[in-house]
Amino acid sequence: MAYQSFGAVDMASFFFPPQPGSHSVHGGDQFLGGGGGSACSHGGSYDGVGASERGGRRDERKERRLASNRESARRSRMRRRRQLDELSSAVAELRAANHRLAVELNRAAGRHAQLARENARLAEEACALRERLRRGDGDGDGVAGEGSGVEATLAPKN
């Protein structure tokens, strides 16, 4: 698009001013002045639009582009900030959940250890009672089934 604003004749006339007595491409108009290279009488362009007008349009487009880029950058920063806030709140929620789960796990582990100790104690007690039944030791009098009642419940039924 930038190449369309300058034609080949326009560029040539910009870099090489016409010599006195030469003919212009546009019916006698000389781009860089009428009489031997003096100041341009109509803005230095063959399309009737002055250089200051073209420059003004370019500046206006540049300003619009810069404003658009600034707005886009602002939206991008806001989007990143919003994403960062969302991630930060997710981290906080996950840390709180992790803490709750760790507390719950510790309680469960403590309860498991307590139950394991009780289970081991009961297993030892059951083993001791079976051994007493096998030997026939009741309450020390040698009669099975006449003791505290625990042996009677463990004794095999006929």
Side-chain angles (χ1 to χ4, degrees):
M1 283 306 232
Y3 296 111
Q4 292 178 351
S5 64
F6 289 106
V9 174
D10 202 12
M11 289 297 288
S13 66
F14 180 76
F15 288 108
F16 305 106
Q19 298 299 320
S22 67
H23 296 282
S24 174
V25 175
H26 295 287
D29 287 344
Q30 291 184 347
F31 292 111
L32 295 177
S38 65
C40 180
S41 61
H42 63 280
S45 173
Y46 64 90
D47 60 0
V49 177
S52 63
E53 251 182 75
R54 262 197 324 262
R57 280 187 282 181
R58 285 188 190 132
D59 290 345
E60 188 178 312
R61 273 186 270 160
K62 184 176 180 180
E63 287 299 321
R64 280 196 313 258
R65 189 175 65 248
L66 289 174
S68 174
N69 287 347
R70 280 191 296 270
E71 179 62 22
S72 179
R74 186 188 67 78
R75 285 192 309 264
S76 178
R77 285 189 303 271
M78 288 182 68
R79 188 171 43 250
R80 278 196 317 250
R81 195 173 301 132
R82 189 170 45 249
Q83 288 172 341
L84 183 62
D85 291 344
E86 290 172 2
L87 289 173
S88 296
S89 64
V91 164
E93 289 174 16
L94 289 171
R95 283 186 175 155
N98 192 27
H99 179 71
R100 284 191 305 272
L101 290 171
V103 167
E104 187 177 335
L105 178 63
N106 287 337
R107 283 186 195 143
R111 180 74 175 140
H112 176 264
Q114 179 186 4
L115 291 173
R117 286 190 303 272
E118 187 178 346
N119 190 31
R121 183 186 59 77
L122 290 173
E124 286 179 22
E125 187 178 326
C127 185
L129 291 172
R130 281 191 198 98
E131 183 61 29
R132 283 177 61 191
L133 281 174
R134 188 182 60 78
R135 281 188 307 206
D137 291 345
D139 279 327
D141 58 1
V143 180
E146 294 181 12
S148 64
V150 175
E151 291 86 6
T153 58
L154 294 177
K157 296 182 181 180
N158 295 350

